[in-house]
Amino acid sequence: MSEDSPAARRPSSGVLRRMTARGREEEHRTATPLELFFDLCFVVAVAQAGRQLVHSLAEGHPGHGIPGYLMTFFAVWWAWVNFTWFSSAYDTDDVLYRVVTLVQIAGVLILAAGVPRAFNDSNFSLVWFGYLVMRLALVSQWLRAARASRGDERRTALRYAAGVCLCQIGWLGLLLLPDPAKPWVFLVMALVEMSVPALAELSRPTAWHPRHIAERYGLFTIIVLGETVAAATVAVQTAGDEHEALGVLLPIAAGGLLIIFAAYWIYFAVPIHLHLASNRQAFLWGYGHYLVFGSAAAIGAGIEVAVEEATGKAHISAFAASACVTVPAALFMFSVWLIHSRFHKRGLAQQSVLPCAAVAVLACTFAGSAAVLLAGLVAAATVAVGVTLATRRQEGPDEPAEGT
């Protein structure tokens, strides 16, 4: 590492240090234990949203469950995004930074506690308060960064601080307006939230690190898939203990496991950090992960619903229960291809693998009780085809092999 690099100049520890930008050229930038702890706490909120989705779908209320899930998951995802991109640019890892991050984690746990109430009763008071705790901590970080900078960099930090404050005020609409207006308030405020980074960084982009950002998103993908495995395992275990219907449950468990394994393989088949060369590319990629993360978490919820239907607990048809698995699995495949893997594909055959696989997984919905197992086999075949095409292609010395 060069002695003049930002990482070399940064002391390894301290109570309080100047919050200067880390720099995109910094070598060996990896996720910190504090960031991993932050992600792990977010799993609590993801699990809460998934449980509420399972209950709504199993009771035959998709009109309530799906919009509720989309709203609550956005709240969880966007809070994670705010912290992740800031920490990539300004993580000082001093005592004050760590304490403020722990305050944000407390806000996450408050948000998670409010998810059931928001989902079922459209009562967003606890979610809003959790966001308030996180936002006050985040604004203090941006103001600290502004204090340590000058010129365009200072204006960028101040715009972030102002934008976050204004958005938090805007979310009061979820508390003050009647229930029929709340979905529209959410839609408008979600668009406003996502416009803040683009407006704040007009004059000067923040110094987020491409490899670090790619790693952070990858780690959160693993955590979400892990939560999916845990949810599906608990569902199968509970149903098996009560009904001893292993002959019915094992195909669902096997198919679900194949889908999750394939999802992991598909996502990590390509090194995406080389694509993140500008704000425009990075923001589109980062925002698109709302679909990636949301669909990955929904796969686990869908498997739980399929288990409940197979054991007679759910009040929906086998077709609807199958769709609870195949639709998010297909959406995951297509969204990963759209924002992530297509930039590394060469030729029509490689570009077609994931879109065609998504259609094939959707078609499995019509297979009745065998739908989940069949979808899992399609997902496994998708990985096999991707690996085969990758090995047949002549690669340059610097071009990595791609699995799907």
Coordinates of all heavy atoms in Angstrom, one line a residue, residues 168-241:
Q168 N -37.7 13.0 6.5 CA -38.3 12.5 7.8 C -39.5 13.2 8.1 O -40.5 12.6 8.6 CB -37.2 12.6 8.9 CG -37.6 12.0 10.2 CD -37.9 10.5 10.1 OE1 -37.2 9.8 9.3 NE2 -38.7 10.0 11.0
I169 N -39.5 14.5 7.9 CA -40.7 15.3 8.1 C -41.9 14.9 7.1 O -43.0 14.7 7.5 CB -40.5 16.8 7.9 CG1 -39.5 17.3 9.0 CG2 -41.7 17.6 8.0 CD1 -39.0 18.7 8.8
G170 N -41.5 14.6 5.9 CA -42.5 14.1 4.9 C -43.2 12.8 5.3 O -44.4 12.7 5.0
W171 N -42.4 12.0 6.0 CA -43.0 10.7 6.4 C -44.1 10.8 7.5 O -44.8 9.9 7.8 CB -41.9 9.7 6.9 CG -41.1 9.2 5.8 CD1 -39.7 9.4 5.6 CD2 -41.5 8.2 4.8 NE1 -39.3 8.7 4.5 CE2 -40.3 8.0 4.0 CE3 -42.7 7.6 4.4 CZ2 -40.4 7.1 2.9 CZ3 -42.7 6.8 3.3 CH2 -41.6 6.5 2.6
L172 N -44.2 12.0 8.0 CA -45.3 12.3 9.0 C -46.6 12.1 8.4 O -47.6 11.9 9.1 CB -45.1 13.7 9.6 CG -44.1 13.9 10.7 CD1 -44.0 15.4 11.0 CD2 -44.4 13.1 11.9
G173 N -46.7 12.1 7.0 CA -48.0 11.9 6.4 C -48.5 10.5 6.7 O -49.7 10.3 6.7
L174 N -47.6 9.5 7.0 CA -48.1 8.2 7.3 C -48.8 8.2 8.7 O -49.5 7.3 9.0 CB -46.9 7.2 7.3 CG -46.3 6.9 5.9 CD1 -45.1 6.0 6.1 CD2 -47.3 6.3 5.0
L175 N -48.5 9.2 9.5 CA -49.1 9.2 10.8 C -50.3 10.1 10.9 O -51.3 9.9 11.7 CB -48.1 9.8 11.9 CG -46.7 9.1 11.9 CD1 -45.9 9.7 13.1 CD2 -46.9 7.6 12.2
L176 N -50.4 11.1 10.0 CA -51.4 12.2 10.1 C -52.5 12.0 9.1 O -53.6 12.5 9.4 CB -50.8 13.6 10.0 CG -49.6 13.9 10.9 CD1 -49.1 15.3 10.6 CD2 -50.1 13.8 12.4
L177 N -52.3 11.4 8.0 CA -53.3 11.3 7.0 C -54.1 10.0 7.1 O -53.7 9.0 7.7 CB -52.6 11.3 5.6 CG -51.9 12.6 5.2 CD1 -51.3 12.5 3.9 CD2 -52.9 13.8 5.3
P178 N -55.3 9.9 6.6 CA -56.2 8.7 6.7 C -55.6 7.5 5.9 O -54.7 7.7 5.0 CB -57.5 9.2 6.1 CG -57.2 10.3 5.2 CD -56.0 11.0 5.8
D179 N -56.0 6.3 6.3 CA -55.5 5.1 5.7 C -55.5 5.1 4.2 O -54.5 4.6 3.6 CB -56.2 3.9 6.3 CG -55.8 3.7 7.8 OD1 -54.8 4.3 8.2 OD2 -56.4 2.8 8.4
P180 N -56.6 5.5 3.5 CA -56.6 5.4 2.1 C -55.5 6.2 1.4 O -55.1 5.9 0.3 CB -58.0 5.9 1.7 CG -58.8 5.7 2.9 CD -57.9 5.9 4.1
A181 N -55.0 7.3 2.1 CA -54.0 8.1 1.5 C -52.6 7.6 1.7 O -51.6 8.0 1.1 CB -54.1 9.5 2.0
K182 N -52.4 6.6 2.7 CA -51.1 6.2 3.1 C -50.3 5.5 2.0 O -49.1 5.8 1.8 CB -51.1 5.3 4.3 CG -51.5 6.1 5.6 CD -51.6 5.3 6.8 CE -52.0 6.1 8.0 NZ -52.1 5.3 9.2
P183 N -50.9 4.7 1.1 CA -50.1 4.1 0.0 C -49.5 5.2 -0.9 O -48.4 5.1 -1.4 CB -51.1 3.2 -0.7 CG -52.1 2.8 0.4 CD -52.2 4.1 1.2
W184 N -50.3 6.2 -1.2 CA -49.8 7.3 -2.0 C -48.8 8.1 -1.4 O -47.8 8.6 -2.0 CB -51.0 8.2 -2.5 CG -52.0 7.4 -3.2 CD1 -53.3 7.0 -2.8 CD2 -51.9 7.0 -4.6 NE1 -53.9 6.3 -3.8 CE2 -53.1 6.3 -4.9 CE3 -50.9 7.1 -5.6 CZ2 -53.3 5.7 -6.2 CZ3 -51.1 6.5 -6.8 CH2 -52.3 5.8 -7.1
V185 N -48.9 8.4 -0.1 CA -47.8 9.1 0.7 C -46.6 8.2 0.6 O -45.5 8.8 0.3 CB -48.2 9.3 2.1 CG1 -47.1 9.8 2.9 CG2 -49.4 10.2 2.2
F186 N -46.7 6.9 0.8 CA -45.5 6.1 0.7 C -44.8 6.2 -0.7 O -43.6 6.3 -0.8 CB -45.9 4.6 1.0 CG -44.8 3.7 0.8 CD1 -43.8 3.5 1.8 CD2 -44.6 3.0 -0.4 CE1 -42.8 2.6 1.7 CE2 -43.5 2.2 -0.6 CZ -42.6 1.9 0.5
L187 N -45.6 6.1 -1.7 CA -45.1 6.1 -3.1 C -44.3 7.4 -3.4 O -43.2 7.4 -3.9 CB -46.2 5.9 -4.1 CG -45.8 5.9 -5.6 CD1 -44.8 4.7 -5.8 CD2 -47.0 5.7 -6.5
V188 N -45.0 8.5 -3.0 CA -44.3 9.8 -3.2 C -43.1 10.0 -2.4 O -42.0 10.4 -2.9 CB -45.3 10.9 -2.9 CG1 -44.6 12.3 -2.9 CG2 -46.5 10.9 -3.9
M189 N -43.1 9.6 -1.2 CA -42.0 9.8 -0.3 C -40.8 8.8 -0.7 O -39.7 9.2 -0.5 CB -42.4 9.5 1.2 CG -43.2 10.7 1.8 SD -42.4 12.3 1.5 CE -40.8 12.0 2.2
A190 N -41.2 7.6 -1.2 CA -40.1 6.7 -1.6 C -39.4 7.3 -2.8 O -38.1 7.2 -2.8 CB -40.7 5.4 -2.0
L191 N -40.1 7.9 -3.7 CA -39.4 8.6 -4.9 C -38.6 9.7 -4.4 O -37.5 10.0 -4.9 CB -40.5 9.0 -5.9 CG -41.3 7.9 -6.6 CD1 -42.4 8.4 -7.5 CD2 -40.3 7.0 -7.4
V192 N -39.1 10.5 -3.5 CA -38.4 11.7 -3.0 C -37.1 11.2 -2.3 O -36.0 11.7 -2.4 CB -39.2 12.5 -2.0 CG1 -38.4 13.6 -1.3 CG2 -40.4 13.1 -2.7
E193 N -37.2 10.1 -1.4 CA -36.0 9.6 -0.8 C -34.9 9.2 -1.7 O -33.8 9.5 -1.6 CB -36.4 8.3 0.1 CG -37.2 8.7 1.3 CD -36.3 8.9 2.5 OE1 -35.1 9.1 2.3 OE2 -36.8 9.1 3.6
M194 N -35.3 8.5 -2.8 CA -34.3 8.0 -3.7 C -33.8 9.1 -4.6 O -32.7 8.9 -5.3 CB -34.9 6.9 -4.6 CG -35.2 5.6 -3.8 SD -35.7 4.2 -4.9 CE -37.3 4.7 -5.4
S195 N -34.4 10.3 -4.6 CA -33.9 11.4 -5.4 C -32.8 12.2 -4.6 O -32.0 12.9 -5.2 CB -35.0 12.3 -5.8 OG -35.6 13.0 -4.7
V196 N -32.8 12.0 -3.3 CA -31.9 12.8 -2.4 C -30.4 12.5 -2.8 O -29.7 13.5 -3.0 CB -32.1 12.5 -0.9 CG1 -31.0 13.1 -0.1 CG2 -33.5 13.1 -0.5
P197 N -30.0 11.3 -3.0 CA -28.5 11.1 -3.3 C -28.2 11.7 -4.7 O -27.1 12.3 -4.8 CB -28.4 9.6 -3.4 CG -29.5 9.1 -2.4 CD -30.6 10.0 -2.6
A198 N -29.1 11.6 -5.7 CA -28.8 12.2 -7.0 C -28.7 13.7 -6.9 O -27.8 14.3 -7.5 CB -29.9 11.7 -8.0
L199 N -29.6 14.3 -6.1 CA -29.5 15.8 -6.0 C -28.3 16.2 -5.2 O -27.7 17.2 -5.5 CB -30.8 16.3 -5.4 CG -32.1 16.1 -6.3 CD1 -33.3 16.5 -5.5 CD2 -32.0 16.8 -7.6
A200 N -28.1 15.5 -4.1 CA -27.0 15.9 -3.2 C -25.6 15.8 -3.9 O -24.7 16.6 -3.6 CB -27.0 15.0 -1.9
E201 N -25.5 14.9 -4.8 CA -24.1 14.6 -5.4 C -24.0 15.3 -6.8 O -23.1 14.9 -7.5 CB -23.9 13.1 -5.4 CG -23.9 12.5 -4.1 CD -23.2 11.1 -4.0 OE1 -22.4 10.8 -4.9 OE2 -23.5 10.4 -3.0
L202 N -24.9 16.2 -7.1 CA -24.8 16.9 -8.4 C -23.4 17.6 -8.6 O -22.8 17.5 -9.6 CB -25.9 17.9 -8.5 CG -27.3 17.4 -8.9 CD1 -28.3 18.5 -8.9 CD2 -27.2 16.7 -10.3
S203 N -23.0 18.3 -7.6 CA -21.7 19.1 -7.7 C -20.5 18.2 -7.5 O -19.5 18.4 -8.1 CB -21.8 20.3 -6.7 OG -21.9 19.8 -5.4
R204 N -20.6 17.3 -6.5 CA -19.4 16.4 -6.3 C -19.9 15.1 -5.7 O -20.6 15.1 -4.7 CB -18.5 17.1 -5.3 CG -17.3 16.2 -4.9 CD -16.2 17.0 -4.2 NE -15.2 16.1 -3.7 CZ -14.0 16.5 -3.3 NH1 -13.8 17.8 -3.2 NH2 -13.1 15.6 -2.9
P205 N -19.5 14.0 -6.3 CA -19.9 12.7 -5.8 C -19.2 12.4 -4.5 O -18.0 12.8 -4.3 CB -19.5 11.7 -6.9 CG -19.3 12.5 -8.1 CD -18.9 13.9 -7.6
T206 N -19.8 11.6 -3.7 CA -19.1 11.1 -2.5 C -18.1 10.0 -2.9 O -18.2 9.4 -4.0 CB -20.1 10.5 -1.4 OG1 -20.9 9.6 -2.1 CG2 -20.9 11.6 -0.9
A207 N -17.1 9.8 -2.0 CA -16.0 8.9 -2.3 C -16.3 7.5 -1.9 O -15.5 6.8 -1.3 CB -14.7 9.4 -1.6
W208 N -17.5 6.9 -2.3 CA -17.8 5.5 -2.0 C -16.8 4.7 -2.8 O -16.3 5.0 -3.8 CB -19.2 5.2 -2.4 CG -19.6 5.6 -3.7 CD1 -20.2 6.8 -4.1 CD2 -19.5 4.9 -5.0 NE1 -20.5 6.9 -5.4 CE2 -20.0 5.7 -6.0 CE3 -18.9 3.7 -5.3 CZ2 -20.0 5.3 -7.3 CZ3 -19.0 3.3 -6.6 CH2 -19.5 4.1 -7.6
H209 N -16.5 3.5 -2.3 CA -15.5 2.6 -2.8 C -16.2 1.4 -3.6 O -17.0 0.7 -3.0 CB -14.7 2.0 -1.7 CG -13.4 1.3 -2.1 ND1 -13.4 0.1 -2.7 CD2 -12.1 1.7 -2.0 CE1 -12.1 -0.2 -3.0 NE2 -11.4 0.8 -2.6
P210 N -16.0 1.3 -4.9 CA -16.7 0.3 -5.7 C -16.6 -1.2 -5.1 O -17.6 -1.9 -5.0 CB -16.1 0.4 -7.1 CG -15.5 1.8 -7.1 CD -15.1 2.1 -5.7
R211 N -15.4 -1.6 -4.8 CA -15.2 -2.9 -4.3 C -15.9 -3.1 -2.9 O -16.5 -4.2 -2.7 CB -13.7 -3.3 -4.2 CG -13.5 -4.8 -3.9 CD -12.0 -5.0 -3.8 NE -11.3 -4.9 -5.1 CZ -11.2 -5.8 -6.0 NH1 -11.7 -7.0 -5.8 NH2 -10.5 -5.6 -7.1
H212 N -15.8 -2.1 -2.1 CA -16.4 -2.2 -0.8 C -17.9 -2.2 -0.9 O -18.6 -3.0 -0.2 CB -16.0 -0.9 0.0 CG -16.6 -0.9 1.4 ND1 -17.6 0.1 1.7 CD2 -16.4 -1.6 2.5 CE1 -18.0 -0.1 3.0 NE2 -17.3 -1.1 3.5
I213 N -18.5 -1.4 -1.8 CA -19.9 -1.4 -2.0 C -20.4 -2.7 -2.5 O -21.4 -3.3 -2.0 CB -20.4 -0.3 -2.9 CG1 -20.3 1.1 -2.2 CG2 -21.7 -0.5 -3.5 CD1 -21.4 1.2 -1.1
A214 N -19.7 -3.3 -3.5 CA -20.0 -4.6 -4.0 C -20.0 -5.7 -2.9 O -20.9 -6.6 -2.9 CB -19.1 -4.9 -5.2
E215 N -19.0 -5.6 -2.1 CA -18.9 -6.6 -1.0 C -20.0 -6.4 0.0 O -20.6 -7.4 0.4 CB -17.6 -6.4 -0.3 CG -17.4 -7.5 0.8 CD -16.2 -7.2 1.7 OE1 -15.6 -6.1 1.7 OE2 -15.8 -8.2 2.4
R216 N -20.4 -5.2 0.3 CA -21.5 -4.9 1.3 C -22.8 -5.5 0.8 O -23.5 -6.1 1.5 CB -21.6 -3.4 1.6 CG -20.3 -2.9 2.2 CD -20.2 -3.2 3.7 NE -21.2 -2.5 4.5 CZ -22.3 -3.0 5.1 NH1 -22.5 -4.3 5.0 NH2 -23.1 -2.3 5.8
Y217 N -23.1 -5.2 -0.5 CA -24.3 -5.8 -1.1 C -24.3 -7.3 -1.2 O -25.3 -7.9 -0.9 CB -24.5 -5.1 -2.5 CG -25.3 -3.8 -2.5 CD1 -24.6 -2.7 -2.0 CD2 -26.6 -3.7 -2.9 CE1 -25.3 -1.4 -2.0 CE2 -27.2 -2.5 -2.9 CZ -26.6 -1.4 -2.4 OH -27.3 -0.2 -2.4
G218 N -23.1 -7.8 -1.5 CA -23.0 -9.3 -1.5 C -23.2 -9.9 -0.1 O -23.9 -10.9 0.0
L219 N -22.7 -9.3 0.9 CA -22.8 -9.8 2.2 C -24.3 -9.8 2.7 O -24.8 -10.7 3.3 CB -21.9 -9.1 3.2 CG -20.4 -9.3 3.0 CD1 -19.6 -8.4 3.9 CD2 -20.1 -10.8 3.4
F220 N -25.0 -8.7 2.3 CA -26.4 -8.6 2.7 C -27.2 -9.6 2.0 O -28.2 -10.1 2.5 CB -26.9 -7.2 2.5 CG -28.2 -6.8 3.2 CD1 -28.1 -6.7 4.6 CD2 -29.4 -6.7 2.6 CE1 -29.3 -6.4 5.3 CE2 -30.5 -6.4 3.3 CZ -30.5 -6.3 4.6
T221 N -26.9 -9.9 0.7 CA -27.5 -10.9 0.0 C -27.4 -12.3 0.7 O -28.4 -13.0 0.8 CB -27.0 -11.0 -1.5 OG1 -27.1 -9.8 -2.1 CG2 -27.7 -12.1 -2.3
I222 N -26.2 -12.6 1.2 CA -26.0 -13.8 1.9 C -26.8 -13.9 3.2 O -27.5 -14.9 3.5 CB -24.5 -14.0 2.2 CG1 -23.7 -14.2 1.0 CG2 -24.3 -15.1 3.2 CD1 -22.2 -14.3 1.2
I223 N -26.9 -12.7 3.9 CA -27.7 -12.7 5.1 C -29.2 -12.9 4.8 O -29.9 -13.7 5.5 CB -27.4 -11.4 5.8 CG1 -26.0 -11.3 6.4 CG2 -28.5 -11.1 6.9 CD1 -25.6 -10.0 7.0
V224 N -29.7 -12.3 3.8 CA -31.1 -12.4 3.4 C -31.4 -13.9 3.0 O -32.4 -14.5 3.4 CB -31.5 -11.5 2.3 CG1 -32.9 -11.8 1.8 CG2 -31.4 -10.0 2.8
L225 N -30.5 -14.5 2.2 CA -30.7 -15.9 1.8 C -30.6 -16.8 3.0 O -31.3 -17.8 3.1 CB -29.6 -16.3 0.8 CG -29.8 -15.7 -0.6 CD1 -28.6 -16.1 -1.5 CD2 -31.1 -16.1 -1.3
G226 N -29.7 -16.4 4.0 CA -29.6 -17.2 5.2 C -30.9 -17.2 6.0 O -31.4 -18.2 6.6
E227 N -31.5 -16.0 6.1 CA -32.8 -15.9 6.8 C -33.9 -16.7 6.0 O -34.8 -17.3 6.7 CB -33.2 -14.4 6.8 CG -34.6 -14.1 7.3 CD -34.9 -14.7 8.7 OE1 -33.9 -14.7 9.5 OE2 -36.0 -15.0 9.0
T228 N -33.8 -16.7 4.7 CA -34.7 -17.6 3.9 C -34.6 -19.0 4.3 O -35.6 -19.7 4.5 CB -34.5 -17.3 2.4 OG1 -34.8 -16.0 2.1 CG2 -35.4 -18.2 1.6
V229 N -33.4 -19.5 4.4 CA -33.1 -20.9 4.8 C -33.7 -21.2 6.2 O -34.3 -22.2 6.4 CB -31.6 -21.2 4.7 CG1 -31.3 -22.6 5.3 CG2 -31.1 -21.1 3.3
A230 N -33.4 -20.3 7.1 CA -33.9 -20.4 8.5 C -35.4 -20.5 8.5 O -36.0 -21.4 9.2 CB -33.4 -19.3 9.4
A231 N -36.1 -19.6 7.8 CA -37.5 -19.5 7.8 C -38.1 -20.8 7.3 O -39.1 -21.4 7.8 CB -38.0 -18.3 7.1
A232 N -37.6 -21.3 6.1 CA -38.1 -22.5 5.5 C -37.8 -23.7 6.4 O -38.7 -24.6 6.5 CB -37.4 -22.7 4.1
T233 N -36.7 -23.8 7.1 CA -36.4 -24.9 7.9 C -37.3 -25.0 9.1 O -37.8 -26.1 9.5 CB -34.9 -24.8 8.4 OG1 -34.0 -24.7 7.3 CG2 -34.6 -25.9 9.3
V234 N -37.6 -23.8 9.7 CA -38.5 -23.8 10.9 C -39.9 -24.2 10.4 O -40.6 -25.0 11.1 CB -38.6 -22.4 11.5 CG1 -39.7 -22.3 12.5 CG2 -37.2 -22.1 12.2
A235 N -40.3 -23.8 9.2 CA -41.7 -24.1 8.7 C -41.8 -25.6 8.5 O -42.8 -26.3 8.9 CB -41.9 -23.4 7.4
V236 N -40.8 -26.2 7.9 CA -40.8 -27.7 7.6 C -40.7 -28.5 8.9 O -41.4 -29.5 9.1 CB -39.6 -28.1 6.7 CG1 -39.6 -29.6 6.6 CG2 -39.8 -27.5 5.3
Q237 N -39.9 -28.0 9.9 CA -39.8 -28.7 11.2 C -41.1 -28.7 11.9 O -41.5 -29.7 12.5 CB -38.7 -28.1 12.0 CG -38.5 -28.7 13.3 CD -37.4 -28.0 14.2 OE1 -36.8 -27.0 13.7 NE2 -37.2 -28.4 15.4
T238 N -41.7 -27.5 12.0 CA -42.9 -27.4 12.7 C -44.0 -28.2 12.1 O -44.8 -29.0 12.8 CB -43.4 -25.9 12.8 OG1 -42.4 -25.1 13.4 CG2 -44.7 -25.8 13.5
A239 N -44.2 -28.2 10.8 CA -45.2 -28.9 10.1 C -44.9 -30.4 10.3 O -45.9 -31.2 10.5 CB -45.3 -28.5 8.7
G240 N -43.7 -30.8 10.2 CA -43.3 -32.2 10.3 C -43.6 -32.8 11.7 O -44.1 -33.9 11.9
D241 N -43.3 -32.0 12.7 CA -43.6 -32.4 14.1 C -45.1 -32.6 14.4 O -45.5 -33.5 15.1 CB -43.0 -31.4 15.1 CG -41.5 -31.4 15.1 OD1 -40.9 -32.3 14.6 OD2 -40.9 -30.4 15.6

